[in-house]
Amino acid sequence: MTATGTFLPRPGAAPLPRMIRAQAALETRMLLRNGEQLLLTVVIPSLVLVLFSTVDIVDTGSDGGTVDFLAPGVLALAVLSTAFTGQAIATGFERRYGVLKRLAVSPLPRWGLMAAKTCAVLVTEVMQIVLLTAIALALGWSPHGDPLSVALLLILGTAAFSGLGLLMAGTLKAEATLAAANLVFLLLLVAGGVIVSLDKFPGAVRSALELLPISALSGGLRDVLQDGAGMPWRDLGILAVWAVLGLGAAARFFRWE
């Protein structure tokens, strides 16, 4: 106490940016310490890249090198596994065990918690991308295209999947989230253009699948990194729509308990 009625440190909530940074740092540490999460976010994409690049298991439908086709799709898979599947499961069980209920009475607003979780996802994705890029280059990958286009696709893809993951975690029971998130992961792995080209699907089905966020992300990354295309505006637009809808719905319907 420095004077009558004056306390140091001054009571009250910290500035909002500081609260978000602190929560994001905590979320990142928790994610990196979770063995199951690391299996989903690091091991599985790495295995998919190595296995399908070195063993002729699946016809990718691509005329180019297998690793050139697979690498962009696996980068999209990494975003899906971290921003959607991993985050949905972790947040769902935090909600079940009352962690979110306690955070709800803290000065951190609901959107601030979502922002912190998204920042933690971005940090994890940077490490994933570095690792997967190193593996792909070792396998003979020759990427092309504009890094800015790649960055925009990854950021919008992260926002879209993060919103959808938080929406699922904040509206379903933890067990239902666990089952649904893993099911969606498997379905999108097969039908999202990750390891099999969408050209292998019938025309009407392909047109519908192209509107999915994983298809827009994997297709946009492939156009840029494999074919050297310019800014993929259509894919960016699809991801932007999913990001707005997902994050908006999560902010509106997310239940803390």
Side-chain angles (χ1 to χ4, degrees), residues 15-80:
L16 185 57
R18 186 186 303 173
M19 289 193 292
I20 293 176
R21 285 198 303 269
Q23 184 66 29
L26 175 63
E27 296 283 347
T28 303
R29 290 195 299 270
M30 292 174 59
L31 193 152
L32 295 177
R33 291 173 182 173
N34 190 321
E36 294 177 358
Q37 295 282 48
L38 289 178
L39 173 66
L40 179 66
T41 60
V42 176
V43 177
I44 291 178
S46 299
L47 285 177
V48 169
L49 178 59
V50 173
L51 182 62
F52 288 98
S53 295
T54 56
V55 181
D56 188 14
I57 300 176
V58 175
D59 181 8
T60 63
S62 172
D63 295 330
T66 303
V67 69
D68 291 329
F69 175 86
L70 284 173
V74 171
L75 292 179
L77 180 65
V79 174
L80 171 67

Side-chain angles (χ1 to χ4, degrees), residues 84-108:
F84 175 74
T85 310
Q87 183 169 218
I89 294 171
T91 306
F93 280 95
E94 286 176 357
R95 179 166 163 257
R96 175 186 176 182
Y97 294 138
V99 176
L100 299 185
K101 181 180 179 180
R102 289 169 174 80
L103 286 174
V105 299
S106 73
L108 184 67

